[in-house]
Amino acid sequence: MTDAEQAASPDEAARMKRFRTNTLRLTRAYHAEPTHYHYPGLSEREFHDRTLFAWLPQLEAATDAIAADFERVMSAERAELVPYIQYPDGVPLRQWKALNHSSEWTAIHLLQNGRRIDANARHCEATMAVLSTIPQPRIPNCSPNAMFSLLAPGAHIPPHHGVANTRLVCHLPLIVPDGCSFRVGAETRCWRRGEAFVFDDTIEHEAANESGMLRVVLIFDLWHPGLAPIEREAVTILMTTHGAGGDGAL
C-alpha cells in the first residue's frame, strides 16, 4: 500500500489501488453492460459503498431470523424449490446451457417479477418484514425480486450480465462454507455470513462453490441510488410498457 493509500479513506484507497492495478494491466476497467435497459449517467461501481444504504445494518442484524426462515421454508411441505435457470426448448441458451433446469443452482422465490410467491413467503415472516423496509423497484412483471439462492457443491455460475442498470442487487450470505467465491468485474470476494453487500449485476460477474456443502444467500434487487424519484417513475413507465421480464442474480 502506498503512503497516499494509507492516508486516504477506505473508499479512496480502493480507487487509488484500482487505478494502479489498471495502469499496470493487472486489472482492467469493467463497465455496465445490461442486456436490455441502459440508463445513461449512472455511476458504474462493481461493489457500491455501504454508506449509501442506511438499512444494511438492520438487514444484517436480522441474519439469524432470516436464516431461520430459510430452514422453515425448506422443511415446509408445499414450498417451491425450483431450478433458477428455466428456459424452454428451442431458446438460445449461450452460457446458460449447462445450468438450464439444473439442480446445481436453485432458488426459493419470495418475490418474483413483482409477484409475492405465497407458497414460500408465508413461511418467511421475518424476511418479508425486512424486505418491506427496503426501496425495491415496483414494476409490474419485472420487480421486486427476492429469493434464497442455493448453489450446490462444485457448482459454477459462468460470467454474465443483468438486465438493467437502474437496479442494484444485494446479497446477504446465510450459509457459506469455505471455498465459495463471488467476482464482479475485477474484484473477487468471499461471502461471510451476515455481511451484506450491494453490487451492480450489469457488470460481468460470476460465482463458484468449490466446497462440499451447500451455499445459501438471500438476494434481492433495489433501486440504483443515482436515480431521482422522477427518473424512477420514468423507468417504471417504460419497463411496464416494454417490459422484458424480471431477472434475479446468483
Side-chain angles (χ1 to χ4, degrees), residues 121-175:
R122 62 194 176 95
H123 301 290
C124 301
E125 182 177 344
T127 307
M128 300 305 294
V130 173
L131 288 172
S132 71
T133 68
I134 293 169
Q136 291 192 269
R138 299 194 176 276
I139 304 171
N141 300 315
C142 290
S143 185
N145 294 283
M147 66 175 179
F148 295 115
S149 171
L150 291 70
L151 194 60
H156 174 241
I157 301 173
H160 64 287
H161 301 83
V163 168
N165 71 330
T166 54
R167 65 93 183 268
L168 301 177
V169 175
C170 182
H171 279 194
L172 176 67
L174 301 174
I175 300 175

Side-chain angles (χ1 to χ4, degrees), residues 21-236:
T21 59
N22 282 353
T23 301
L24 297 173
R25 302 296 189 267
L26 300 174
T27 56
R28 67 175 178 85
Y30 284 84
H31 298 286
E33 299 180 53
T35 60
H36 289 75
Y37 303 102
H38 184 275
Y39 198 95
L42 295 179
S43 61
E44 295 182 328
R45 300 290 299 275
E46 293 157 357
F47 292 91
H48 281 246
D49 189 342
R50 287 179 57 91
T51 61
L52 296 173
F53 312 102
W55 42 264
L56 271 178
Q58 177 187 354
L59 172 70
E60 292 172 332
T63 296
D64 288 345
I66 292 171
D69 280 352
F70 169 72
E71 297 294 343
R72 188 177 302 110
V73 73
M74 279 290 286
S75 63
E77 285 187 14
R78 297 185 180 180
E80 298 178 358
L81 174 66
V82 298
Y84 183 73
I85 303 297
Q86 298 187 65
Y87 286 103
D89 294 340
V91 174
L93 296 177
R94 296 189 295 252
Q95 74 264 31
W96 296 127
K97 184 174 182 179
L99 287 174
N100 195 33
H101 299 286
S102 172
S103 60
E104 290 194 343
W105 183 19
T106 53
I108 298 175
H109 294 281
L110 305 177
L111 302 167
Q112 186 176 27
N113 300 341
R115 296 182 298 110
R116 175 186 165 102
I117 308 302
D118 196 58
N120 300 327
R122 62 194 176 95
H123 301 290
C124 301
E125 182 177 344
T127 307
M128 300 305 294
V130 173
L131 288 172
S132 71
T133 68
I134 293 169
Q136 291 192 269
R138 299 194 176 276
I139 304 171
N141 300 315
C142 290
S143 185
N145 294 283
M147 66 175 179
F148 295 115
S149 171
L150 291 70
L151 194 60
H156 174 241
I157 301 173
H160 64 287
H161 301 83
V163 168
N165 71 330
T166 54
R167 65 93 183 268
L168 301 177
V169 175
C170 182
H171 279 194
L172 176 67
L174 301 174
I175 300 175
V176 188
D178 292 338
C180 294
S181 62
F182 182 64
R183 178 184 69 84
V184 184
E187 184 174 349
T188 298
R189 294 189 178 186
C190 294
W191 291 283
R192 293 182 175 85
R193 188 181 193 276
E195 295 184 14
F197 55 72
V198 176
F199 69 98
D200 184 341
D201 80 328
T202 65
I203 295 174
E204 181 186 275
H205 59 290
E206 63 181 320
N209 179 1
E210 297 180 0
S211 79
M213 300 172 61
L214 183 69
R215 181 231 67 176
V216 181
V217 175
L218 174 70
I219 298 178
F220 56 89
D221 53 2
L222 56 137
W223 282 112
H224 191 297
L227 287 170
I230 194 170
E231 292 178 297
R232 295 182 181 184
E233 182 179 351
V235 168
T236 300

